[in-house]
Amino acid sequence: MQIFSDRMLKTDSSFITEVLRLTGVKDIISFAGGLPNPISFPMKEFQESINRVLQESGEKVFQYSGTQGYLPLRQWIADRYKKRFGMDVTADDILITTGSQQGLDLMGKALVNKGDKVAVESPCYLAAIQTFTLFEPEFLPISLEDDGLNLEELEANLQNNDVKLLYTVPNFQNPTGITYSKEKREAIYEIIKKTNTVLIEDDPYGELRFEGESLPYIAGGKTTNSVLFGSFSKTLSPGMRIGYLCTKNKELMGHLIGAKQSSDLHTNVLAQYAIHDYLTNNDYDAHISNITALYKQQCEAMIAAMEKYLPAHVTFTKPEGGMFLWADLGEGVSSVDVFKRATEKKVAFVPGDPFYTNIKGAGTLRLNYTNSDPATIEEGIKRLASVLSKSGQIGVMK
């Protein structure tokens, strides 16, 4: 008798496990994780908020609570959507999740049966692939271009109206760092509004823009088959695990709440109260401005080092915000092989393979710039360049 479920045996977590392991290795320069810079954590202000919460709310934060989340925090999130994007949403449209990552699991539980079609960006956020794989769907990878999804592929895949989900990260996409253009967003909306496909716009990085102007969501607040994911992990604290999702689809919200009840009953109450207290007693926008100024400097340092040290055939994206950029080593190069040699040189990244549902031996890789200072970034890129030059690779400009 096979003890373990088929769904777990089909789910590969090896690269995520390796990425998390490398973040704790002291003598390695890791561009692998998606870690915010610790100097951006408002520790003094959070200490004040936690003390205030304990003094004013006392036993409430130690007791069980409602599944949908702390109402004042949900109202703050709804108000911010109104302020930033003019969206007509209420606190009832918000569900607090244990990190926005939980939203992926809840959506899978609520919507995806074995064999259902799930469309994803290609390349796609690796943990989204991992999470959806547990529900045993048929993945439909849609090529990602410099300004968003390939529209011809998207329309062809959605034309039969039999795709349950379309998963996107429209702002500073993970792993590529690209941002969907306004024109591409409008075109995607025109395609998807004719279908029953539920669109997920995962937006953990949208606040972290250091160049250009914020763009409206593809369908957020426009259709009932739209779900937005957000998070405080990238702006305040990943350790508190406070994320949220927003949808005006009341029936879907009911199923998502039911799915969450079966998962963890509710998200950490003390953390919800503390986040809300921080937001109401501090200048959140000024805090974000400080983070984006820091990340702009780090991103520019990485781009400068890559232009200086990497072989000329290596191409890469130049993000306007977020935490990642994406490099292409050229045809005939496996980034998994490069990864193995790079870790021997004490530098790490995430190879391209786990970001695809249908590609092995990819010559692409993801680099994170937010958790290293400029000097460390330069040294890490120099180490990576030494690996590429010693292997004698000659690539092809794309």
Side-chain angles (χ1 to χ4, degrees):
M1 179 182 68
Q2 178 178 290
I3 296 176
F4 301 107
S5 68
D6 292 340
R7 69 178 65 89
M8 287 308 303
L9 294 175
K10 292 177 181 177
T11 303
D12 182 7
S13 63
S14 59
F15 270 108
I16 296 178
T17 302
E18 181 68 3
V19 167
L20 293 174
R21 184 188 70 80
L22 289 171
T23 62
V25 179
K26 292 184 178 180
D27 64 341
I28 197 166
I29 296 176
S30 178
F31 302 135
L35 279 65
N37 197 313
I39 67 174
S40 71
F41 299 155
M43 295 179 66
K44 176 178 176 293
E45 292 83 356
F46 260 128
Q47 185 173 20
E48 294 171 353
S49 286
I50 290 172
N51 289 340
R52 192 158 43 235
V53 164
L54 291 175
Q55 291 170 1
E56 297 178 0
S57 299
E59 62 189 30
K60 288 183 180 180
V61 299
F62 289 100
Q63 187 57 276
Y64 288 113
S65 187
T67 300
Q68 195 163 355
Y70 183 42
L71 178 57
L73 178 58
R74 289 190 284 123
Q75 186 62 59
W76 188 95
I77 294 166
D79 290 344
R80 191 161 181 85
Y81 276 131
K82 290 178 186 177
K83 176 184 176 182
R84 294 189 68 212
F85 301 104
M87 291 170 53
D88 181 22
V89 296
T90 69
D92 289 339
D93 302 322
I94 308 297
L95 171 64
I96 303 298
T97 56
T98 303
S100 61
Q101 180 72 27
Q102 186 183 50
L104 296 170
D105 180 63
L106 299 181
M107 290 293 290
K109 288 177 177 175
L111 294 177
V112 182
N113 294 313
K114 182 177 180 179
D116 281 348
K117 294 180 179 179
V118 173
V120 297
E121 300 164 321
S122 184
C124 176
Y125 173 43
L126 60 86
I129 294 174
Q130 182 190 31
T131 302
F132 289 139
T133 296
L134 284 168
F135 302 101
E136 302 179 85
E138 176 188 347
F139 282 112
L140 303 177
I142 312 294
S143 298
L144 199 60
E145 301 175 326
D146 291 342
D147 62 346
L149 292 172
N150 179 298
L151 296 178
E152 291 183 2
E153 291 182 21
L154 177 64
E155 195 158 25
N157 277 284
L158 298 188
Q159 64 181 351
N160 293 326
N161 199 22
D162 60 352
V163 177
K164 277 283 185 77
L165 284 176
L166 169 60
Y167 174 77
T168 65
V169 184
N171 296 315
F172 322 123
Q173 196 257 1
N174 184 353
T176 64
I178 69 104
T179 294
Y180 288 32
S181 67
K182 185 174 184 292
E183 295 74 20
K184 187 64 71 81
R185 292 171 193 238
E186 292 171 350
I188 294 170
Y189 174 68
E190 290 302 316
I191 292 172
I192 201 163
K193 75 177 185 179
K194 303 172 185 176
T195 74
N196 292 318
T197 301
V198 176
L199 172 67
I200 296 175
E201 296 182 73
D202 193 356
D203 191 31
Y205 316 106
E207 299 268 17
L208 302 179
R209 176 177 286 278
F210 45 71
E211 288 183 12
E213 297 181 357
S214 294
L215 297 173
Y217 288 113
I218 297 168
K222 300 178 186 177
T223 69
T224 55
N225 277 0
S226 165
V227 182
L228 296 175
F229 289 178
S231 175
F232 294 107
S233 291
K234 305 303 187 290
T235 57
L236 291 178
S237 166
M240 288 196 172
R241 309 305 302 130
I242 301 297
Y244 49 91
L245 60 82
C246 173
T247 181
K248 295 182 71 65
N249 188 320
K250 302 301 182 185
E251 183 177 8
L252 175 58
M253 177 62 81
H255 291 308
L256 292 170
I257 292 172
K260 181 170 172 60
Q261 286 173 341
S262 70
S263 294
D264 63 1
L265 193 60
H266 60 73
T267 295
N268 184 289
V269 180
L270 175 58
Q272 291 185 64
Y273 273 69
I275 290 272
H276 178 259
D277 185 275
Y278 170 87
L279 293 169
T280 55
N281 287 285
N282 295 277
D283 190 337
Y284 184 54
D285 290 317
H287 172 70
I288 289 174
S289 294
N290 291 334
I291 296 175
T292 53
L294 173 65
Y295 289 176
K296 177 180 174 67
Q297 179 189 37
Q298 292 170 298
C299 182
E300 290 176 345
M302 180 167 281
I303 289 173
M306 293 174 76
E307 290 176 338
K308 182 177 181 180
Y309 297 111
L310 294 188
H313 68 268
V314 176
T315 59
F316 50 90
T317 58
K318 296 181 179 181
E320 296 181 338
M323 304 175 70
F324 307 105
L325 61 78
W326 185 245
D328 191 327
L329 304 179
E331 295 180 13
V333 179
S334 168
S335 60
V336 172
D337 293 339
V338 176
F339 172 81
K340 294 173 183 176
R341 295 194 297 273
T343 54
E344 294 173 359
K345 291 287 187 179
K346 303 298 183 181
V347 62
F349 55 83
V350 184
D353 283 18
F355 298 104
Y356 298 99
T357 62
N358 61 339
I359 295 175
K360 297 296 180 185
T364 48
L365 58 90
R366 189 190 76 178
L367 296 167
N368 165 258
Y369 48 79
T370 60
N371 196 39
S372 305
D373 60 64
T376 303
I377 288 172
E378 182 172 19
E379 175 59 27
I381 296 300
K382 285 173 66 176
R383 294 181 189 182
L384 176 59
S386 71
V387 173
L388 295 176
S389 61
K390 285 185 178 180
S391 62
Q393 296 165 359
I394 300 176
V396 179
M397 178 70 78
K398 298 187 101 178

